[in-house]
mmCIF file with all atom_site columns, all heavy atoms in Angstrom:
data_model
loop_
_atom_site.group_PDB
_atom_site.id
_atom_site.type_symbol
_atom_site.label_atom_id
_atom_site.label_alt_id
_atom_site.label_comp_id
_atom_site.label_asym_id
_atom_site.label_entity_id
_atom_site.label_seq_id
_atom_site.pdbx_PDB_ins_code
_atom_site.Cartn_x
_atom_site.Cartn_y
_atom_site.Cartn_z
_atom_site.occupancy
_atom_site.B_iso_or_equiv
_atom_site.pdbx_formal_charge
_atom_site.auth_seq_id
_atom_site.auth_comp_id
_atom_site.auth_asym_id
_atom_site.auth_atom_id
_atom_site.pdbx_PDB_model_num
ATOM 1   N N   . HIS A 1 1  ? 149.239 74.815 48.300 1.00 0.00 ? 1  HIS A N   1
ATOM 2   C CA  . HIS A 1 1  ? 150.131 74.547 49.405 1.00 0.00 ? 1  HIS A CA  1
ATOM 3   C C   . HIS A 1 1  ? 150.362 75.772 50.255 1.00 0.00 ? 1  HIS A C   1
ATOM 4   O O   . HIS A 1 1  ? 150.527 75.654 51.473 1.00 0.00 ? 1  HIS A O   1
ATOM 5   C CB  . HIS A 1 1  ? 151.480 74.071 48.816 1.00 0.00 ? 1  HIS A CB  1
ATOM 6   C CG  . HIS A 1 1  ? 152.444 73.668 49.902 1.00 0.00 ? 1  HIS A CG  1
ATOM 7   N ND1 . HIS A 1 1  ? 152.259 72.553 50.696 1.00 0.00 ? 1  HIS A ND1 1
ATOM 8   C CD2 . HIS A 1 1  ? 153.585 74.239 50.335 1.00 0.00 ? 1  HIS A CD2 1
ATOM 9   C CE1 . HIS A 1 1  ? 153.249 72.465 51.559 1.00 0.00 ? 1  HIS A CE1 1
ATOM 10  N NE2 . HIS A 1 1  ? 154.058 73.469 51.354 1.00 0.00 ? 1  HIS A NE2 1
ATOM 11  N N   . ARG A 1 2  ? 150.296 76.966 49.689 1.00 0.00 ? 2  ARG A N   1
ATOM 12  C CA  . ARG A 1 2  ? 150.434 78.168 50.457 1.00 0.00 ? 2  ARG A CA  1
ATOM 13  C C   . ARG A 1 2  ? 149.306 78.382 51.454 1.00 0.00 ? 2  ARG A C   1
ATOM 14  O O   . ARG A 1 2  ? 149.433 79.020 52.471 1.00 0.00 ? 2  ARG A O   1
ATOM 15  C CB  . ARG A 1 2  ? 150.448 79.388 49.518 1.00 0.00 ? 2  ARG A CB  1
ATOM 16  C CG  . ARG A 1 2  ? 151.701 79.538 48.731 1.00 0.00 ? 2  ARG A CG  1
ATOM 17  C CD  . ARG A 1 2  ? 151.678 80.830 47.992 1.00 0.00 ? 2  ARG A CD  1
ATOM 18  N NE  . ARG A 1 2  ? 152.673 80.763 46.924 1.00 0.00 ? 2  ARG A NE  1
ATOM 19  C CZ  . ARG A 1 2  ? 152.594 81.498 45.836 1.00 0.00 ? 2  ARG A CZ  1
ATOM 20  N NH1 . ARG A 1 2  ? 151.581 82.332 45.642 1.00 0.00 ? 2  ARG A NH1 1
ATOM 21  N NH2 . ARG A 1 2  ? 153.500 81.423 44.914 1.00 0.00 ? 2  ARG A NH2 1
ATOM 22  N N   . GLN A 1 3  ? 148.139 77.807 51.133 1.00 0.00 ? 3  GLN A N   1
ATOM 23  C CA  . GLN A 1 3  ? 146.971 77.964 52.013 1.00 0.00 ? 3  GLN A CA  1
ATOM 24  C C   . GLN A 1 3  ? 146.785 76.792 52.982 1.00 0.00 ? 3  GLN A C   1
ATOM 25  O O   . GLN A 1 3  ? 145.905 76.803 53.815 1.00 0.00 ? 3  GLN A O   1
ATOM 26  C CB  . GLN A 1 3  ? 145.704 78.049 51.126 1.00 0.00 ? 3  GLN A CB  1
ATOM 27  C CG  . GLN A 1 3  ? 145.721 79.177 50.175 1.00 0.00 ? 3  GLN A CG  1
ATOM 28  C CD  . GLN A 1 3  ? 144.628 79.075 49.116 1.00 0.00 ? 3  GLN A CD  1
ATOM 29  O OE1 . GLN A 1 3  ? 143.855 78.121 49.129 1.00 0.00 ? 3  GLN A OE1 1
ATOM 30  N NE2 . GLN A 1 3  ? 144.568 80.011 48.209 1.00 0.00 ? 3  GLN A NE2 1
ATOM 31  N N   . ALA A 1 4  ? 147.657 75.785 52.849 1.00 0.00 ? 4  ALA A N   1
ATOM 32  C CA  . ALA A 1 4  ? 147.508 74.554 53.691 1.00 0.00 ? 4  ALA A CA  1
ATOM 33  C C   . ALA A 1 4  ? 147.729 74.882 55.167 1.00 0.00 ? 4  ALA A C   1
ATOM 34  O O   . ALA A 1 4  ? 148.526 75.742 55.522 1.00 0.00 ? 4  ALA A O   1
ATOM 35  C CB  . ALA A 1 4  ? 148.513 73.533 53.232 1.00 0.00 ? 4  ALA A CB  1
ATOM 36  N N   . ILE A 1 5  ? 146.956 74.193 55.950 1.00 0.00 ? 5  ILE A N   1
ATOM 37  C CA  . ILE A 1 5  ? 147.070 74.332 57.394 1.00 0.00 ? 5  ILE A CA  1
ATOM 38  C C   . ILE A 1 5  ? 147.878 73.175 57.945 1.00 0.00 ? 5  ILE A C   1
ATOM 39  O O   . ILE A 1 5  ? 148.003 72.151 57.271 1.00 0.00 ? 5  ILE A O   1
ATOM 40  C CB  . ILE A 1 5  ? 145.668 74.415 58.053 1.00 0.00 ? 5  ILE A CB  1
ATOM 41  C CG1 . ILE A 1 5  ? 144.808 73.348 57.544 1.00 0.00 ? 5  ILE A CG1 1
ATOM 42  C CG2 . ILE A 1 5  ? 145.063 75.778 57.840 1.00 0.00 ? 5  ILE A CG2 1
ATOM 43  C CD1 . ILE A 1 5  ? 143.382 73.344 58.085 1.00 0.00 ? 5  ILE A CD1 1
ATOM 44  N N   . SER A 1 6  ? 148.434 73.319 59.086 1.00 0.00 ? 6  SER A N   1
ATOM 45  C CA  . SER A 1 6  ? 149.363 72.305 59.614 1.00 0.00 ? 6  SER A CA  1
ATOM 46  C C   . SER A 1 6  ? 148.635 70.994 59.873 1.00 0.00 ? 6  SER A C   1
ATOM 47  O O   . SER A 1 6  ? 147.427 70.976 60.180 1.00 0.00 ? 6  SER A O   1
ATOM 48  C CB  . SER A 1 6  ? 150.064 72.805 60.866 1.00 0.00 ? 6  SER A CB  1
ATOM 49  O OG  . SER A 1 6  ? 149.075 73.073 61.875 1.00 0.00 ? 6  SER A OG  1
ATOM 50  N N   . ALA A 1 7  ? 149.398 69.944 59.765 1.00 0.00 ? 7  ALA A N   1
ATOM 51  C CA  . ALA A 1 7  ? 148.852 68.581 59.970 1.00 0.00 ? 7  ALA A CA  1
ATOM 52  C C   . ALA A 1 7  ? 149.032 68.141 61.381 1.00 0.00 ? 7  ALA A C   1
ATOM 53  O O   . ALA A 1 7  ? 150.018 68.464 62.039 1.00 0.00 ? 7  ALA A O   1
ATOM 54  C CB  . ALA A 1 7  ? 149.557 67.607 59.009 1.00 0.00 ? 7  ALA A CB  1
ATOM 55  N N   . SER A 1 8  ? 148.072 67.387 61.909 1.00 0.00 ? 8  SER A N   1
ATOM 56  C CA  . SER A 1 8  ? 148.183 66.821 63.234 1.00 0.00 ? 8  SER A CA  1
ATOM 57  C C   . SER A 1 8  ? 148.612 65.358 63.160 1.00 0.00 ? 8  SER A C   1
ATOM 58  O O   . SER A 1 8  ? 149.191 64.832 64.139 1.00 0.00 ? 8  SER A O   1
ATOM 59  C CB  . SER A 1 8  ? 146.858 66.930 63.976 1.00 0.00 ? 8  SER A CB  1
ATOM 60  O OG  . SER A 1 8  ? 145.812 66.293 63.221 1.00 0.00 ? 8  SER A OG  1
ATOM 61  N N   . THR A 1 9  ? 148.394 64.715 62.057 1.00 0.00 ? 9  THR A N   1
ATOM 62  C CA  . THR A 1 9  ? 148.749 63.313 61.839 1.00 0.00 ? 9  THR A CA  1
ATOM 63  C C   . THR A 1 9  ? 149.483 63.219 60.534 1.00 0.00 ? 9  THR A C   1
ATOM 64  O O   . THR A 1 9  ? 148.956 63.601 59.473 1.00 0.00 ? 9  THR A O   1
ATOM 65  C CB  . THR A 1 9  ? 147.495 62.401 61.774 1.00 0.00 ? 9  THR A CB  1
ATOM 66  O OG1 . THR A 1 9  ? 146.705 62.626 62.929 1.00 0.00 ? 9  THR A OG1 1
ATOM 67  C CG2 . THR A 1 9  ? 147.856 60.944 61.715 1.00 0.00 ? 9  THR A CG2 1
ATOM 68  N N   . VAL A 1 10 ? 150.709 62.689 60.566 1.00 0.00 ? 10 VAL A N   1
ATOM 69  C CA  . VAL A 1 10 ? 151.548 62.537 59.353 1.00 0.00 ? 10 VAL A CA  1
ATOM 70  C C   . VAL A 1 10 ? 152.082 61.131 59.331 1.00 0.00 ? 10 VAL A C   1
ATOM 71  O O   . VAL A 1 10 ? 152.577 60.592 60.330 1.00 0.00 ? 10 VAL A O   1
ATOM 72  C CB  . VAL A 1 10 ? 152.696 63.549 59.351 1.00 0.00 ? 10 VAL A CB  1
ATOM 73  C CG1 . VAL A 1 10 ? 153.587 63.389 58.107 1.00 0.00 ? 10 VAL A CG1 1
ATOM 74  C CG2 . VAL A 1 10 ? 152.196 64.978 59.446 1.00 0.00 ? 10 VAL A CG2 1
ATOM 75  N N   . ASP A 1 11 ? 152.029 60.517 58.162 1.00 0.00 ? 11 ASP A N   1
ATOM 76  C CA  . ASP A 1 11 ? 152.636 59.202 57.939 1.00 0.00 ? 11 ASP A CA  1
ATOM 77  C C   . ASP A 1 11 ? 153.716 59.335 56.892 1.00 0.00 ? 11 ASP A C   1
ATOM 78  O O   . ASP A 1 11 ? 153.407 59.475 55.687 1.00 0.00 ? 11 ASP A O   1
ATOM 79  C CB  . ASP A 1 11 ? 151.572 58.161 57.499 1.00 0.00 ? 11 ASP A CB  1
ATOM 80  C CG  . ASP A 1 11 ? 152.133 56.755 57.538 1.00 0.00 ? 11 ASP A CG  1
ATOM 81  O OD1 . ASP A 1 11 ? 153.355 56.579 57.421 1.00 0.00 ? 11 ASP A OD1 1
ATOM 82  O OD2 . ASP A 1 11 ? 151.316 55.824 57.672 1.00 0.00 ? 11 ASP A OD2 1
ATOM 83  N N   . LYS A 1 12 ? 154.932 59.349 57.332 1.00 0.00 ? 12 LYS A N   1
ATOM 84  C CA  . LYS A 1 12 ? 156.081 59.635 56.422 1.00 0.00 ? 12 LYS A CA  1
ATOM 85  C C   . LYS A 1 12 ? 156.432 58.461 55.525 1.00 0.00 ? 12 LYS A C   1
ATOM 86  O O   . LYS A 1 12 ? 157.243 58.582 54.619 1.00 0.00 ? 12 LYS A O   1
ATOM 87  C CB  . LYS A 1 12 ? 157.301 60.054 57.254 1.00 0.00 ? 12 LYS A CB  1
ATOM 88  C CG  . LYS A 1 12 ? 157.053 61.383 57.926 1.00 0.00 ? 12 LYS A CG  1
ATOM 89  C CD  . LYS A 1 12 ? 158.263 61.842 58.692 1.00 0.00 ? 12 LYS A CD  1
ATOM 90  C CE  . LYS A 1 12 ? 157.960 63.181 59.347 1.00 0.00 ? 12 LYS A CE  1
ATOM 91  N NZ  . LYS A 1 12 ? 159.113 63.708 60.093 1.00 0.00 ? 12 LYS A NZ  1
ATOM 92  N N   . ARG A 1 13 ? 155.771 57.292 55.694 1.00 0.00 ? 13 ARG A N   1
ATOM 93  C CA  . ARG A 1 13 ? 156.060 56.161 54.833 1.00 0.00 ? 13 ARG A CA  1
ATOM 94  C C   . ARG A 1 13 ? 155.668 56.452 53.384 1.00 0.00 ? 13 ARG A C   1
ATOM 95  O O   . ARG A 1 13 ? 156.199 55.880 52.456 1.00 0.00 ? 13 ARG A O   1
ATOM 96  C CB  . ARG A 1 13 ? 155.325 54.923 55.346 1.00 0.00 ? 13 ARG A CB  1
ATOM 97  C CG  . ARG A 1 13 ? 155.904 54.416 56.654 1.00 0.00 ? 13 ARG A CG  1
ATOM 98  C CD  . ARG A 1 13 ? 155.138 53.233 57.143 1.00 0.00 ? 13 ARG A CD  1
ATOM 99  N NE  . ARG A 1 13 ? 153.816 53.736 57.572 1.00 0.00 ? 13 ARG A NE  1
ATOM 100 C CZ  . ARG A 1 13 ? 152.924 52.987 58.169 1.00 0.00 ? 13 ARG A CZ  1
ATOM 101 N NH1 . ARG A 1 13 ? 153.143 51.702 58.351 1.00 0.00 ? 13 ARG A NH1 1
ATOM 102 N NH2 . ARG A 1 13 ? 151.775 53.473 58.525 1.00 0.00 ? 13 ARG A NH2 1
ATOM 103 N N   . ALA A 1 14 ? 154.731 57.381 53.206 1.00 0.00 ? 14 ALA A N   1
ATOM 104 C CA  . ALA A 1 14 ? 154.330 57.749 51.821 1.00 0.00 ? 14 ALA A CA  1
ATOM 105 C C   . ALA A 1 14 ? 155.456 58.407 51.040 1.00 0.00 ? 14 ALA A C   1
ATOM 106 O O   . ALA A 1 14 ? 155.422 58.451 49.826 1.00 0.00 ? 14 ALA A O   1
ATOM 107 C CB  . ALA A 1 14 ? 153.120 58.629 51.878 1.00 0.00 ? 14 ALA A CB  1
ATOM 108 N N   . ARG A 1 15 ? 156.477 58.870 51.715 1.00 0.00 ? 15 ARG A N   1
ATOM 109 C CA  . ARG A 1 15 ? 157.609 59.484 51.033 1.00 0.00 ? 15 ARG A CA  1
ATOM 110 C C   . ARG A 1 15 ? 158.340 58.519 50.118 1.00 0.00 ? 15 ARG A C   1
ATOM 111 O O   . ARG A 1 15 ? 158.962 58.927 49.143 1.00 0.00 ? 15 ARG A O   1
ATOM 112 C CB  . ARG A 1 15 ? 158.541 60.105 52.066 1.00 0.00 ? 15 ARG A CB  1
ATOM 113 C CG  . ARG A 1 15 ? 157.942 61.332 52.723 1.00 0.00 ? 15 ARG A CG  1
ATOM 114 C CD  . ARG A 1 15 ? 158.875 61.962 53.727 1.00 0.00 ? 15 ARG A CD  1
ATOM 115 N NE  . ARG A 1 15 ? 158.210 63.094 54.314 1.00 0.00 ? 15 ARG A NE  1
ATOM 116 C CZ  . ARG A 1 15 ? 158.733 63.824 55.280 1.00 0.00 ? 15 ARG A CZ  1
ATOM 117 N NH1 . ARG A 1 15 ? 159.975 63.587 55.720 1.00 0.00 ? 15 ARG A NH1 1
ATOM 118 N NH2 . ARG A 1 15 ? 158.099 64.836 55.777 1.00 0.00 ? 15 ARG A NH2 1
ATOM 119 N N   . TRP A 1 16 ? 158.267 57.216 50.436 1.00 0.00 ? 16 TRP A N   1
ATOM 120 C CA  . TRP A 1 16 ? 158.880 56.221 49.536 1.00 0.00 ? 16 TRP A CA  1
ATOM 121 C C   . TRP A 1 16 ? 158.123 56.232 48.207 1.00 0.00 ? 16 TRP A C   1
ATOM 122 O O   . TRP A 1 16 ? 158.737 56.088 47.147 1.00 0.00 ? 16 TRP A O   1
ATOM 123 C CB  . TRP A 1 16 ? 158.856 54.846 50.172 1.00 0.00 ? 16 TRP A CB  1
ATOM 124 C CG  . TRP A 1 16 ? 159.815 54.725 51.280 1.00 0.00 ? 16 TRP A CG  1
ATOM 125 C CD1 . TRP A 1 16 ? 159.522 54.673 52.627 1.00 0.00 ? 16 TRP A CD1 1
ATOM 126 C CD2 . TRP A 1 16 ? 161.242 54.683 51.189 1.00 0.00 ? 16 TRP A CD2 1
ATOM 127 N NE1 . TRP A 1 16 ? 160.684 54.585 53.349 1.00 0.00 ? 16 TRP A NE1 1
ATOM 128 C CE2 . TRP A 1 16 ? 161.751 54.568 52.498 1.00 0.00 ? 16 TRP A CE2 1
ATOM 129 C CE3 . TRP A 1 16 ? 162.129 54.686 50.117 1.00 0.00 ? 16 TRP A CE3 1
ATOM 130 C CZ2 . TRP A 1 16 ? 163.123 54.504 52.771 1.00 0.00 ? 16 TRP A CZ2 1
ATOM 131 C CZ3 . TRP A 1 16 ? 163.483 54.614 50.393 1.00 0.00 ? 16 TRP A CZ3 1
ATOM 132 C CH2 . TRP A 1 16 ? 163.971 54.539 51.698 1.00 0.00 ? 16 TRP A CH2 1
ATOM 133 N N   . GLY A 1 17 ? 156.832 56.414 48.252 1.00 0.00 ? 17 GLY A N   1
ATOM 134 C CA  . GLY A 1 17 ? 156.040 56.513 47.027 1.00 0.00 ? 17 GLY A CA  1
ATOM 135 C C   . GLY A 1 17 ? 156.415 57.764 46.243 1.00 0.00 ? 17 GLY A C   1
ATOM 136 O O   . GLY A 1 17 ? 156.505 57.708 45.009 1.00 0.00 ? 17 GLY A O   1
ATOM 137 N N   . ILE A 1 18 ? 156.601 58.868 46.968 1.00 0.00 ? 18 ILE A N   1
ATOM 138 C CA  . ILE A 1 18 ? 156.998 60.097 46.299 1.00 0.00 ? 18 ILE A CA  1
ATOM 139 C C   . ILE A 1 18 ? 158.353 59.913 45.596 1.00 0.00 ? 18 ILE A C   1
ATOM 140 O O   . ILE A 1 18 ? 158.497 60.335 44.441 1.00 0.00 ? 18 ILE A O   1
ATOM 141 C CB  . ILE A 1 18 ? 157.072 61.281 47.308 1.00 0.00 ? 18 ILE A CB  1
ATOM 142 C CG1 . ILE A 1 18 ? 155.704 61.599 47.874 1.00 0.00 ? 18 ILE A CG1 1
ATOM 143 C CG2 . ILE A 1 18 ? 157.711 62.511 46.687 1.00 0.00 ? 18 ILE A CG2 1
ATOM 144 C CD1 . ILE A 1 18 ? 155.707 62.536 49.083 1.00 0.00 ? 18 ILE A CD1 1
ATOM 145 N N   . LEU A 1 19 ? 159.275 59.267 46.262 1.00 0.00 ? 19 LEU A N   1
ATOM 146 C CA  . LEU A 1 19 ? 160.564 58.988 45.653 1.00 0.00 ? 19 LEU A CA  1
ATOM 147 C C   . LEU A 1 19 ? 160.453 58.164 44.376 1.00 0.00 ? 19 LEU A C   1
ATOM 148 O O   . LEU A 1 19 ? 161.041 58.491 43.339 1.00 0.00 ? 19 LEU A O   1
ATOM 149 C CB  . LEU A 1 19 ? 161.503 58.283 46.648 1.00 0.00 ? 19 LEU A CB  1
ATOM 150 C CG  . LEU A 1 19 ? 162.860 57.874 46.112 1.00 0.00 ? 19 LEU A CG  1
ATOM 151 C CD1 . LEU A 1 19 ? 163.681 59.118 45.762 1.00 0.00 ? 19 LEU A CD1 1
ATOM 152 C CD2 . LEU A 1 19 ? 163.609 57.060 47.159 1.00 0.00 ? 19 LEU A CD2 1
ATOM 153 N N   . LEU A 1 20 ? 159.655 57.098 44.410 1.00 0.00 ? 20 LEU A N   1
ATOM 154 C CA  . LEU A 1 20 ? 159.457 56.262 43.227 1.00 0.00 ? 20 LEU A CA  1
ATOM 155 C C   . LEU A 1 20 ? 158.760 57.054 42.108 1.00 0.00 ? 20 LEU A C   1
ATOM 156 O O   . LEU A 1 20 ? 159.111 56.891 40.934 1.00 0.00 ? 20 LEU A O   1
ATOM 157 C CB  . LEU A 1 20 ? 158.676 55.028 43.546 1.00 0.00 ? 20 LEU A CB  1
ATOM 158 C CG  . LEU A 1 20 ? 159.455 53.988 44.378 1.00 0.00 ? 20 LEU A CG  1
ATOM 159 C CD1 . LEU A 1 20 ? 158.510 52.835 44.794 1.00 0.00 ? 20 LEU A CD1 1
ATOM 160 C CD2 . LEU A 1 20 ? 160.607 53.438 43.576 1.00 0.00 ? 20 LEU A CD2 1
ATOM 161 N N   . GLN A 1 21 ? 157.799 57.886 42.447 1.00 0.00 ? 21 GLN A N   1
ATOM 162 C CA  . GLN A 1 21 ? 157.148 58.712 41.420 1.00 0.00 ? 21 GLN A CA  1
ATOM 163 C C   . GLN A 1 21 ? 158.146 59.695 40.804 1.00 0.00 ? 21 GLN A C   1
ATOM 164 O O   . GLN A 1 21 ? 158.151 59.894 39.580 1.00 0.00 ? 21 GLN A O   1
ATOM 165 C CB  . GLN A 1 21 ? 155.942 59.487 42.037 1.00 0.00 ? 21 GLN A CB  1
ATOM 166 C CG  . GLN A 1 21 ? 154.775 58.584 42.330 1.00 0.00 ? 21 GLN A CG  1
ATOM 167 C CD  . GLN A 1 21 ? 153.688 59.354 43.082 1.00 0.00 ? 21 GLN A CD  1
ATOM 168 O OE1 . GLN A 1 21 ? 153.964 60.253 43.885 1.00 0.00 ? 21 GLN A OE1 1
ATOM 169 N NE2 . GLN A 1 21 ? 152.447 58.958 42.820 1.00 0.00 ? 21 GLN A NE2 1
ATOM 170 N N   . PHE A 1 22 ? 159.001 60.276 41.624 1.00 0.00 ? 22 PHE A N   1
ATOM 171 C CA  . PHE A 1 22 ? 160.050 61.185 41.146 1.00 0.00 ? 22 PHE A CA  1
ATOM 172 C C   . PHE A 1 22 ? 160.986 60.454 40.173 1.00 0.00 ? 22 PHE A C   1
ATOM 173 O O   . PHE A 1 22 ? 161.304 60.957 39.098 1.00 0.00 ? 22 PHE A O   1
ATOM 174 C CB  . PHE A 1 22 ? 160.831 61.797 42.294 1.00 0.00 ? 22 PHE A CB  1
ATOM 175 C CG  . PHE A 1 22 ? 161.954 62.670 41.838 1.00 0.00 ? 22 PHE A CG  1
ATOM 176 C CD1 . PHE A 1 22 ? 161.693 63.962 41.386 1.00 0.00 ? 22 PHE A CD1 1
ATOM 177 C CD2 . PHE A 1 22 ? 163.264 62.238 41.880 1.00 0.00 ? 22 PHE A CD2 1
ATOM 178 C CE1 . PHE A 1 22 ? 162.764 64.775 40.935 1.00 0.00 ? 22 PHE A CE1 1
ATOM 179 C CE2 . PHE A 1 22 ? 164.276 63.018 41.440 1.00 0.00 ? 22 PHE A CE2 1
ATOM 180 C CZ  . PHE A 1 22 ? 164.023 64.307 40.968 1.00 0.00 ? 22 PHE A CZ  1
ATOM 181 N N   . VAL A 1 23 ? 161.435 59.266 40.564 1.00 0.00 ? 23 VAL A N   1
ATOM 182 C CA  . VAL A 1 23 ? 162.327 58.463 39.674 1.00 0.00 ? 23 VAL A CA  1
ATOM 183 C C   . VAL A 1 23 ? 161.591 58.169 38.384 1.00 0.00 ? 23 VAL A C   1
ATOM 184 O O   . VAL A 1 23 ? 162.174 58.207 37.284 1.00 0.00 ? 23 VAL A O   1
ATOM 185 C CB  . VAL A 1 23 ? 162.789 57.200 40.398 1.00 0.00 ? 23 VAL A CB  1
ATOM 186 C CG1 . VAL A 1 23 ? 163.537 56.266 39.451 1.00 0.00 ? 23 VAL A CG1 1
ATOM 187 C CG2 . VAL A 1 23 ? 163.700 57.545 41.591 1.00 0.00 ? 23 VAL A CG2 1
ATOM 188 N N   . ALA A 1 24 ? 160.306 57.805 38.456 1.00 0.00 ? 24 ALA A N   1
ATOM 189 C CA  . ALA A 1 24 ? 159.534 57.507 37.259 1.00 0.00 ? 24 ALA A CA  1
ATOM 190 C C   . ALA A 1 24 ? 159.541 58.706 36.298 1.00 0.00 ? 24 ALA A C   1
ATOM 191 O O   . ALA A 1 24 ? 159.718 58.529 35.104 1.00 0.00 ? 24 ALA A O   1
ATOM 192 C CB  . ALA A 1 24 ? 158.097 57.113 37.632 1.00 0.00 ? 24 ALA A CB  1
ATOM 193 N N   . PHE A 1 25 ? 159.259 59.895 36.798 1.00 0.00 ? 25 PHE A N   1
ATOM 194 C CA  . PHE A 1 25 ? 159.257 61.087 35.955 1.00 0.00 ? 25 PHE A CA  1
ATOM 195 C C   . PHE A 1 25 ? 160.650 61.400 35.388 1.00 0.00 ? 25 PHE A C   1
ATOM 196 O O   . PHE A 1 25 ? 160.769 61.818 34.247 1.00 0.00 ? 25 PHE A O   1
ATOM 197 C CB  . PHE A 1 25 ? 158.642 62.299 36.678 1.00 0.00 ? 25 PHE A CB  1
ATOM 198 C CG  . PHE A 1 25 ? 157.163 62.353 36.606 1.00 0.00 ? 25 PHE A CG  1
ATOM 199 C CD1 . PHE A 1 25 ? 156.340 61.798 37.567 1.00 0.00 ? 25 PHE A CD1 1
ATOM 200 C CD2 . PHE A 1 25 ? 156.532 62.976 35.520 1.00 0.00 ? 25 PHE A CD2 1
ATOM 201 C CE1 . PHE A 1 25 ? 154.992 61.846 37.476 1.00 0.00 ? 25 PHE A CE1 1
ATOM 202 C CE2 . PHE A 1 25 ? 155.190 63.032 35.385 1.00 0.00 ? 25 PHE A CE2 1
ATOM 203 C CZ  . PHE A 1 25 ? 154.372 62.462 36.402 1.00 0.00 ? 25 PHE A CZ  1
ATOM 204 N N   . THR A 1 26 ? 161.654 61.147 36.207 1.00 0.00 ? 26 THR A N   1
ATOM 205 C CA  . THR A 1 26 ? 163.030 61.395 35.745 1.00 0.00 ? 26 THR A CA  1
ATOM 206 C C   . THR A 1 26 ? 163.372 60.442 34.626 1.00 0.00 ? 26 THR A C   1
ATOM 207 O O   . THR A 1 26 ? 164.040 60.812 33.640 1.00 0.00 ? 26 THR A O   1
ATOM 208 C CB  . THR A 1 26 ? 164.002 61.192 36.962 1.00 0.00 ? 26 THR A CB  1
ATOM 209 O OG1 . THR A 1 26 ? 163.634 62.131 37.970 1.00 0.00 ? 26 THR A OG1 1
ATOM 210 C CG2 . THR A 1 26 ? 165.443 61.482 36.505 1.00 0.00 ? 26 THR A CG2 1
ATOM 211 N N   . LEU A 1 27 ? 162.937 59.207 34.715 1.00 0.00 ? 27 LEU A N   1
ATOM 212 C CA  . LEU A 1 27 ? 163.206 58.203 33.704 1.00 0.00 ? 27 LEU A CA  1
ATOM 213 C C   . LEU A 1 27 ? 162.623 58.593 32.318 1.00 0.00 ? 27 LEU A C   1
ATOM 214 O O   . LEU A 1 27 ? 163.173 58.240 31.293 1.00 0.00 ? 27 LEU A O   1
ATOM 215 C CB  . LEU A 1 27 ? 162.669 56.869 34.157 1.00 0.00 ? 27 LEU A CB  1
ATOM 216 C CG  . LEU A 1 27 ? 163.099 55.605 33.454 1.00 0.00 ? 27 LEU A CG  1
ATOM 217 C CD1 . LEU A 1 27 ? 164.622 55.454 33.504 1.00 0.00 ? 27 LEU A CD1 1
ATOM 218 C CD2 . LEU A 1 27 ? 162.457 54.405 34.105 1.00 0.00 ? 27 LEU A CD2 1
ATOM 219 N N   . LEU A 1 28 ? 161.545 59.313 32.319 1.00 0.00 ? 28 LEU A N   1
ATOM 220 C CA  . LEU A 1 28 ? 160.930 59.747 31.055 1.00 0.00 ? 28 LEU A CA  1
ATOM 221 C C   . LEU A 1 28 ? 161.887 60.524 30.150 1.00 0.00 ? 28 LEU A C   1
ATOM 222 O O   . LEU A 1 28 ? 161.793 60.485 28.954 1.00 0.00 ? 28 LEU A O   1
ATOM 223 C CB  . LEU A 1 28 ? 159.700 60.616 31.313 1.00 0.00 ? 28 LEU A CB  1
ATOM 224 C CG  . LEU A 1 28 ? 158.491 59.971 31.913 1.00 0.00 ? 28 LEU A CG  1
ATOM 225 C CD1 . LEU A 1 28 ? 157.418 61.034 32.200 1.00 0.00 ? 28 LEU A CD1 1
ATOM 226 C CD2 . LEU A 1 28 ? 157.923 58.877 31.057 1.00 0.00 ? 28 LEU A CD2 1
ATOM 227 N N   . TRP A 1 29 ? 162.805 61.236 30.777 1.00 0.00 ? 29 TRP A N   1
ATOM 228 C CA  . TRP A 1 29 ? 163.692 62.156 30.055 1.00 0.00 ? 29 TRP A CA  1
ATOM 229 C C   . TRP A 1 29 ? 165.023 61.542 29.701 1.00 0.00 ? 29 TRP A C   1
ATOM 230 O O   . TRP A 1 29 ? 165.929 62.243 29.219 1.00 0.00 ? 29 TRP A O   1
ATOM 231 C CB  . TRP A 1 29 ? 163.911 63.440 30.940 1.00 0.00 ? 29 TRP A CB  1
ATOM 232 C CG  . TRP A 1 29 ? 162.639 64.125 31.197 1.00 0.00 ? 29 TRP A CG  1
ATOM 233 C CD1 . TRP A 1 29 ? 161.813 63.979 32.264 1.00 0.00 ? 29 TRP A CD1 1
ATOM 234 C CD2 . TRP A 1 29 ? 162.006 65.112 30.373 1.00 0.00 ? 29 TRP A CD2 1
ATOM 235 N NE1 . TRP A 1 29 ? 160.755 64.795 32.155 1.00 0.00 ? 29 TRP A NE1 1
ATOM 236 C CE2 . TRP A 1 29 ? 160.807 65.492 30.993 1.00 0.00 ? 29 TRP A CE2 1
ATOM 237 C CE3 . TRP A 1 29 ? 162.334 65.681 29.095 1.00 0.00 ? 29 TRP A CE3 1
ATOM 238 C CZ2 . TRP A 1 29 ? 159.960 66.448 30.448 1.00 0.00 ? 29 TRP A CZ2 1
ATOM 239 C CZ3 . TRP A 1 29 ? 161.489 66.626 28.604 1.00 0.00 ? 29 TRP A CZ3 1
ATOM 240 C CH2 . TRP A 1 29 ? 160.322 67.013 29.260 1.00 0.00 ? 29 TRP A CH2 1
#
């Protein structure tokens, strides 16, 4: 991530997936 270059096209709808993945990992504990 430190080496990543800026994006020209971003689709923020994938953040819903990130949220569900986060909840899934939280549920494990």
Side-chain angles (χ1 to χ4, degrees):
H1 185 68
R2 287 187 199 155
Q3 301 167 1
I5 47 183
S6 61
S8 57
T9 306
V10 178
D11 191 334
K12 294 182 180 181
R13 291 177 291 185
R15 291 181 181 178
W16 289 106
I18 295 169
L19 177 63
L20 288 173
Q21 288 173 327
F22 176 78
V23 171
F25 273 93
T26 303
L27 195 57
L28 291 175
W29 299 92

